Amino acid sequence: MTSSARAVIDLDVVGDRISRHIYGHFAEHLGRCIYDGFWVGEDSTIPNTRGIRTDVVEALRALDIPNLRWPGGCFADTYHWRDGIGPREQRPKIANTNWGDVVESNHFGTHEFMDLCDLLGTEAYVNGNVGSGTVQEMSEWVEYLTRDDDSPMARLRRENGRDEPWRVPFWGIGNEPWGCGGNLSPEFYAEEARRYATYCHDHGENRLTLIAAGANEDDFEWTRVLVKTLVESHAANLYDKHPYQAISFHYYTHTGSGINREDATTFSDEQFYDTMAYARDFERVVRGHVAVMDSYDPENRVSLVCDEWGTWWNAEKGTNPGFLFQQNTIRDALVAGIHFDIFHRYARRISMANIAQTVNVLQAMILTDGEKLVLTPTYHVFEMNKGHQDARALAAHVLDAPATTARGGELPLVSMSASTKEGAALISLTHLSADDECEVRIDLRGRGARVVRARVLGAESATTYNDADVPDRVEPRPLATALDGGELVVTMPPHSFATIELALD
Ligand code: AHR
């Protein structure tokens, strides 16, 4: 069956800039993300640059990834950075108590991470340790990374082979303090964040954006306490700038039965729709955090960061459950499409987002299998959408779309966003029907336009995925488009994601 939908885009109503950092990534010392994912070591037979996998770097460079968060996650609050510097064979081993209870070699540390950022052409988002660390430890890590001259930490860095300071624009003050980051109350953490932030200095030319660790999903009270403490301390003139500049939150998608409860590749239509409803509910959550922040910070001086998002399914059978290795289907790609539409709509307040995680963990871009590398459907959404980075959001509305019911509410089956930069526009469409195709007619207003390229990501079934045997089952393919007067007409296959690139008159 073919359903129909109507939408409108005002090509001349240009809104907020969509920060490229919304397309950020996350690499934790968890399972096979770092070891066996990014890092194989210099002696590996797998081609590498100073121990970092070449094929992984090449695949990620094609995404223009703007920032990479490291070393956690929960791991961040057990990580002591001095364990990961100096000659590798002399670094102490530690237990990774959060993830699989395995022994961590510390072979991938600060220098290796900054080298990875250089190879990827991306910016560093380092997450410091509040839960089991100290203010001094965090302060010295900032100094080690970013200070020139001959201060004690700059000297130590030089002794370890790096002369120039690095540029580190983003710094996280702990992670999930309501849970693995210390089981703290919001009031206690708000004070701690302010204290830690005070000693994370801007050395030389480096300017840190300090990010306080925020809420789980729709815990708006956590955000309220953080933003209130921040704004009040600023108003009391305790600081000449806000002690931290951003507040984060985390949102993982599943069917509603909880994280880590259902299979990544085997699911019913009902579970598919429940997943889509959970992903669309992200908009309510964002709206709530934004409303709380608006009420204390109407001038938009503190930004919102979603530094963990994505699907969380059961670990694949036969793998260590603590490694969170999951396959990635069309369903995951559509979850990504829905999230990006929401990020674009709230670009005024949201300055950054980080998918969890980049390689071999949760909703990954890349899965590695020995020497083989698989690009997931989610990878392709990031690639198809990369033109939104630093573009201006366009007024884009779905007026009329088929809907179904899921998780007790109405689930509209078409999601859309659009942006413009440099005389071009990019439209993203996510179609959620499990069975039907949908003719989408988009009224393009305000400027003339012609289609430069249109691509669609889909497959026979929403359960389809790529693997080492067949790595190209899911890949973007050309999408037919027609311009009918001022209307752009496309037919979206069932459960598909598409991007349409326009040149504007
Ligand atoms: O991404 C996996 C884990 O999920 C992170 O370590 C933690 O912050 C979150 O609970």
Side-chain angles (χ1 to χ4, degrees), residues 26 28 30 73-74 99 175-176 250 252 308 312 356-357 362:
F26 176 30
E28 181 166 11
L30 192 179
C74 293
W99 305 118
N175 170 73
E176 297 193 349
H250 293 170
Y252 283 101
E308 288 184 30
W312 193 321
Q357 299 191 4
L362 297 176

Side-chain angles (χ1 to χ4, degrees), residues 123-143:
E123 299 197 291
Y125 172 7
V126 176
N127 209 117
N129 177 349
V130 169
S132 69
T134 64
V135 172
Q136 183 178 0
E137 182 183 13
M138 192 185 291
S139 179
E140 288 181 344
W141 200 8
V142 174
E143 183 184 323

Side-chain angles (χ1 to χ4, degrees), residues 368-403:
T368 62
D369 182 352
E371 291 189 342
K372 295 184 183 160
L373 173 142
V374 176
L375 304 180
T376 65
T378 302
Y379 173 95
H380 294 299
V381 174
F382 273 71
E383 189 279 316
M384 293 164 76
N385 251 12
K386 71 181 179 182
H388 290 299
Q389 293 188 24
D390 283 339
R392 311 288 296 235
L394 286 168
H397 304 280
V398 177
L399 305 175
D400 215 355

Side-chain angles (χ1 to χ4, degrees), residues 145-158:
L145 279 156
T146 61
R147 195 173 170 96
D148 213 343
D149 73 23
D150 70 342
S151 79
M153 290 303 111
R155 240 180 297 135
L156 181 59
R157 185 190 66 239
R158 288 204 183 88

Side-chain angles (χ1 to χ4, degrees), residues 248-488:
S248 74
F249 73 108
H250 293 170
Y251 189 87
Y252 283 101
T253 294
H254 41 81
T255 61
S257 63
I259 58 169
N260 204 11
R261 298 265 164 83
E262 293 174 24
D263 286 346
T265 56
T266 316
F267 49 86
S268 63
D269 281 359
E270 189 185 350
Q271 288 168 309
F272 169 78
Y273 283 128
D274 284 352
T275 309
M276 297 302 121
Y278 209 95
R280 287 202 80 138
D281 198 40
F282 181 60
E283 184 145 13
R284 175 187 63 82
V285 172
V286 169
R287 201 184 307 120
H289 289 298
V290 168
V292 169
M293 292 180 77
D294 281 350
S295 70
Y296 287 93
D297 173 37
E299 289 165 348
N300 219 50
R301 298 180 63 172
V302 184
S303 70
L304 184 62
V305 164
C306 181
D307 54 10
E308 288 184 30
W309 67 272
T311 54
W312 193 321
W313 310 121
N314 281 334
E316 293 299 318
K317 290 188 183 63
T319 66
N320 183 333
F323 282 11
L324 311 186
F325 175 77
Q326 67 189 39
Q327 249 300 353
N328 192 297
T329 67
I330 288 281
R331 174 173 65 162
D332 298 271
L334 303 189
V335 168
I338 290 168
H339 275 70
F340 282 128
D341 288 344
I342 298 166
F343 289 136
H344 298 164
R345 278 199 277 283
Y346 291 84
R348 171 177 66 86
R349 182 69 77 171
I350 299 184
S351 62
M352 185 192 278
N354 302 76
I355 183 129
Q357 299 191 4
T358 315
V359 187
N360 289 334
V361 169
L362 297 176
Q363 190 174 350
M365 311 302 105
I366 290 174
L367 306 177
T368 62
D369 182 352
E371 291 189 342
K372 295 184 183 160
L373 173 142
V374 176
L375 304 180
T376 65
T378 302
Y379 173 95
H380 294 299
V381 174
F382 273 71
E383 189 279 316
M384 293 164 76
N385 251 12
K386 71 181 179 182
H388 290 299
Q389 293 188 24
D390 283 339
R392 311 288 296 235
L394 286 168
H397 304 280
V398 177
L399 305 175
D400 215 355
T404 189
T405 48
R407 304 194 68 236
E410 188 182 87
L411 174 68
L413 296 179
V414 177
S415 172
M416 180 182 77
S417 64
S419 70
T420 182
K421 71 176 168 196
E422 295 160 9
L426 178 62
I427 303 170
S428 298
L429 277 171
T430 309
H431 178 223
L432 312 182
S433 171
D435 307 306
D436 299 337
E437 57 180 24
C438 181
E439 184 191 76
V440 185
R441 301 185 79 88
I442 306 172
D443 183 2
L444 297 177
R445 294 183 184 164
R447 287 178 77 171
R450 75 188 155 77
V451 175
V452 175
R453 179 163 71 153
R455 293 184 290 165
V456 65
L457 190 73
E460 193 76 356
S461 159
T463 61
T464 310
Y465 55 87
N466 294 333
D467 57 22
D469 295 331
V470 190
D472 55 0
R473 272 189 210 102
V474 186
E475 276 190 342
R477 311 207 189 275
L479 172 70
T481 61
L483 271 172
D484 180 7
E487 274 193 338
L488 173 67

Side-chain angles (χ1 to χ4, degrees), residues 179-195:
C180 63
N183 280 308
L184 310 178
S185 69
E187 290 78 12
F188 184 81
Y189 173 74
E191 297 296 328
E192 284 292 272
R194 202 161 59 168
R195 189 164 73 97

